[in-house]
């Protein structure tokens, strides 16, 4: 047992911290405040910046342009990206992770050759389309259908809350090809390109947080895709999506941690400078104890994330539960720490000019996206009941 980072992890942490603080952090407030029409160009520029430091290829093989580093190292880099700009983490992650990882795991060689080099270089943007207006937590109740006609498939349905929908060149869409077979065997995943007939996207949603990462609906109206758009095997789409979300939950935990660490550091710096009653805020126990709690909570969140990453890497049978624990704790922690940070800043924390206001809004997504807190608790509870049933 050893908590030290390896030499590679140390240098990744240092390089990403320097790069992201220089290239992303100064743009984070501007991105949050940008008009919806300006957002696509700004976020694409950030995604390209992340491509230039190798971030988009960390999960992917060298032959497509990646570096294929382990999941803990990816989490170390991801924390730095999120600490600097959470919206950039979300959009980059939806492309190289939620879209790129299932392509890596289940795609044919031709599909990987077609999309992965562009995803890794930032020239192509991907998205992941599972959620529907009436199916979020209960993903098995999606209504989108896929009907085979000759060598093609015709898709019909609406996907909602899709990160990158308005930017994406290609969206991974889950649809029922055989409702009677149920989610385990009747859902198929399709790589739907934006030029496909019958494919369109809505206007982006006007969101509480993560305003620099566009979210919109993907509309499939008699949308025709070739047989070659099927990811892996027909009928495996739901299982592929659930496996992808195990990685995604470590990602959501990581973005929450980045937000929390940023909030803690800003609170620490502010409380050193701001004086009341002739003393800096951090000399008051009620403020310094908030900083202490922030430190402990971020440390625990990081440990849970690294444990979940280790478990996934080691193919540990409890890996999915470790991912749920990390996601649940880190996201709830981020909301609490961002709230404490606003408190430390007092009235200034409530003003948009100060970044803790943005962090407070951004943090909430972690408790909702990729399996809300309630769903994680259900999964964790089921696992503990089963474990101690014997
Ligand atoms: C900004 C943003 C980006 C997103 N990006 C993507 C994306 O890229 N791709 C994608 O496919 N999806 C995406 N999502 C969708 C996200 O994963 C869903 O919003 C999430 O899974 C919750 O689903 P829902 O919104 O339908 O809520 P619901 O399922 O309607 O749940 C509403 C509330 O009820 C609770 N609840 C539901 N069932 C139970 C139960 N059995 N017991 C107790 N409580 C329960 C939930 O936890 C939640 O608090 C995104 C969402 C947002 C907001």
């Amino acid at each position: 047992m050893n908590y030290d980072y390896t030499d590679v992890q140390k240098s990744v942490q240092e390089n990403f911290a320097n790069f992201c603080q220089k290239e992303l952090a100064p743009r984070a407030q501007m991105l949050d405040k940008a008009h919806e029409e300006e957002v696509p160009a700004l976020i694409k520029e950030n995604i390209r910046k992340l491509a230039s430091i190798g971030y988009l290829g960390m999960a992917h093989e060298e032959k497509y342009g990646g570096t294929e580093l382990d999941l803990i190292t990816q989490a170390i880099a991801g924390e730095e990206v999120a600490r600097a700009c959470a919206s950039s983490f979300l959009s980059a992650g939806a492309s190289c992770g939620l879209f790129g990882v299932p392509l890596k795991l289940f795609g044919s060689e031709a599909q990987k050759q077609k999309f992965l080099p562009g995803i890794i270089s930032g020239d192509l943007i991907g998205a992941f389309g599972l959620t529907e207006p009436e199916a979020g937590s209960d993903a098995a109740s999606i209504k989108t259908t896929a009907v085979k006609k000759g060598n093609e498939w015709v898709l019909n349905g609406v996907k909602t809350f899709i990160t990158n929908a308005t930017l994406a060149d290609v969206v991974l869409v889950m649809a029922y090809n055989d409702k009677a077979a149920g989610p385990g065997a009747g859902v198929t995943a399709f790589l739907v390109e934006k030029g496909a007939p019958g494919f369109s996207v809505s206007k982006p949603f006007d969101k509480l947080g993560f305003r620099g990462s566009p979210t919109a609906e993907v509309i499939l109206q008699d949308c025709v895709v070739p047989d070659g758009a099927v990811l892996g095997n027909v009928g495996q789409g739901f299982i592929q999506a659930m496996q992808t979300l195990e990685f995604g939950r470590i990602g959501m935990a990581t973005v929450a941690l980045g937000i929390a660490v940023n909030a803690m550091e800003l609170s620490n710096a502010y409380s050193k400078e701001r004086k009341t009653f002739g003393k800096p805020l951090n000399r008051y126990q009620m403020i310094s104890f908030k900083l202490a709690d922030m430190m402990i909570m971020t440390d625990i969140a990081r440990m849970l994330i690294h444990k979940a990453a280790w478990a996934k890497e080691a193919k540990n049978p409890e890996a999915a539960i470790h991912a749920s624990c990390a996601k649940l704790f880190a996201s709830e922690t981020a909301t609490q720490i961002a709230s404490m940070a606003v408190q430390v800043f007092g009235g200034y924390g409530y003003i948009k000019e100060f970044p803790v206001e943005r962090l407070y809004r951004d943090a909430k997504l972690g408790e909702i996206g990729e399996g809300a807190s309630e769903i994680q608790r259900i999964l964790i509870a089921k696992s503990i009941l089963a474990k101690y049933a014997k």
Side-chain angles (χ1 to χ4, degrees), residues 315-338:
K315 299 191 172 39
N316 183 299
E318 293 187 342
I321 290 305
H322 290 309
S324 288
C325 293
K327 200 254 173 194
L328 177 68
F329 185 83
S331 60
E332 294 191 348
T333 286
T335 313
Q336 287 167 40
I337 291 181

Side-chain angles (χ1 to χ4, degrees), residues 258-278:
I259 292 169
V261 171
N262 193 0
M264 173 180 73
E265 290 175 348
L266 290 167
S267 302
N268 184 41
Y270 184 80
S271 66
K272 226 187 285 177
E273 301 302 326
R274 174 75 172 173
K275 288 192 176 126
T276 62
F277 307 99

